[in-house]
Amino acid sequence: MTGPVTLSLVVAVADDGVIGDRNGLPWHISEDLRRFRELTTGHVVVAGRLTHESVTARLGRPLPGRHTVVVSGSTPPDGPQVWTPGAATVVPDLDAALGLAGRLAADAPHPDVVVMGGAQIYRQALPQVATVHLTRVHLTPGGDTRMPEGWLDGFTVADSRDLTTASGTGVTFETLTRG
């Protein structure tokens, strides 16, 4: 990425470190989904194939109001493929995704790129991330996908807000910055 583009990451993590189960979220928290929409609308987002597929299965289409750059090892040999014009493009690896996302972000309403998962993409992108938008979900749901130990090392909390959701689940919305 070049120019004024910055990379942020948005993730919800349970108290037991879980971020997913069977390629989906192990909870449904309307307030977190609303925050996700607010943090990503108008941005270029980067997602792994399974994350993108879980979104399109749920919504029946790619995320509206965002261009999704999808990282997939099963891209066609002739290069990036646009799945839905202006909505999703698939590329073979994170470097290609960040390069394309940076170019697309120059023309997007918001010039930063947001990484939205899954776990492999988070791990690969984390060294380049400037800001983490974290929802701490105060549950221990169990699941098959977790963030790695120490993943927030080097980040400090810039903003934090506790909330009890309409469903009674406690969450903490945090914004963390590197440094």
Side-chain angles (χ1 to χ4, degrees):
M1 296 184 318
T2 60
V5 175
T6 58
L7 188 62
S8 62
L9 183 146
V10 61
V11 63
V13 181
D15 288 340
D16 59 1
V18 166
I19 62 170
D21 189 43
R22 294 174 293 207
N23 297 320
L25 293 174
W27 52 75
H28 180 86
I29 300 172
S30 297
E31 294 86 348
D32 179 53
L33 296 172
R34 186 170 26 260
R35 181 174 188 243
F36 174 83
R37 185 177 62 240
E38 291 168 1
L39 289 168
T40 60
T41 298
H43 293 81
V44 177
V45 296
V46 173
R49 180 184 56 83
L50 294 175
T51 298
H52 178 70
E53 288 176 356
S54 73
V55 167
T56 56
R58 184 179 189 132
L59 297 179
R61 62 184 175 171
L63 288 166
R66 288 147 278 205
H67 187 105
T68 305
V69 179
V70 181
V71 179
S72 173
S74 59
T75 58
D78 55 347
Q81 173 185 354
V82 175
W83 285 355
T84 304
T89 306
V90 62
V91 296
D93 56 46
L94 184 65
D95 287 340
L98 295 179
L100 176 60
R103 291 189 300 278
L104 293 170
D107 295 325
H110 299 284
D112 55 327
V113 173
V114 181
V115 175
M116 57 175 272
Q120 288 181 329
I121 302 302
Y122 285 145
R123 274 188 213 95
Q124 292 173 24
L126 202 54
Q128 301 174 64
V129 167
T131 304
V132 173
H133 300 286
L134 171 62
T135 300
R136 293 185 187 273
V137 179
H138 302 301
L139 296 172
T140 53
D144 59 15
T145 310
R146 300 181 183 299
M147 290 302 279
E149 288 293 321
W151 72 280
L152 287 174
D153 291 350
F155 288 90
T156 58
V157 176
D159 186 51
S160 181
R161 180 171 54 101
D162 292 320
L163 174 73
T164 300
T165 67
S167 65
T169 302
V171 297
T172 303
F173 293 142
E174 292 182 344
T175 300
L176 300 100
T177 55
R178 188 174 297 281

